[in-house]
Amino acid sequence: MYFEAPSAEAPPLEQLYAWRPWPKWVTAPLNDGVEVFALPKRLTRALGEASSAELEELAGRWITRLRSEDGDDMTDDDLLAVLQGVARLAASAASTGGGLYSWSF
């Protein structure tokens, strides 16, 4: 979605709900708060094929949205570096027929 229709604002909920496929549960949330999602192949390919400029633009929008939500509590991580690492994993996953998974704590 981010690469097809980039915007400075988060898309309206109707647009988010219409975008398919969504990540799928690999495991239901556990008592300790851990949850695992499998990302759609379409998203994995888009991240793996994204140019440096597209990743920088996406990271910029990500940072802007995090700051608007979290203010000074935003992470100190280098979000562009995180996104570039995820894109490398996505490229590897797409080229080997694998997938990307997201663990949340």
Side-chain angles (χ1 to χ4, degrees):
M1 171 179 270
Y2 286 114
F3 297 113
E4 293 173 4
S7 68
E9 300 297 320
L13 289 177
E14 297 80 24
Q15 185 179 357
L16 283 175
Y17 293 146
W19 189 73
R20 298 280 187 250
W22 276 94
K24 295 179 183 165
W25 289 105
V26 174
T27 63
L30 303 174
N31 288 338
D32 61 1
V34 173
E35 51 192 9
V36 180
F37 291 96
L39 299 181
K41 289 186 183 289
R42 178 175 154 196
L43 176 57
T44 302
R45 278 192 312 272
L47 284 169
E49 295 171 357
S51 69
S52 293
E54 288 172 319
L55 292 174
E56 286 178 27
E57 182 183 340
L58 178 57
R61 290 194 314 268
W62 187 15
I63 290 167
T64 299
R65 289 180 186 158
L66 282 174
R67 281 197 178 120
S68 72
E69 295 291 323
D70 297 335
D72 291 335
D73 293 333
M74 190 180 106
T75 180
D76 291 331
D77 294 331
D78 180 348
L79 297 181
L80 176 57
V82 170
L83 191 55
Q84 288 168 331
V86 170
R88 285 191 298 274
L89 290 172
S92 176
S95 70
T96 61
L100 277 183
Y101 299 87
S102 170
W103 281 261
S104 174
F105 299 100

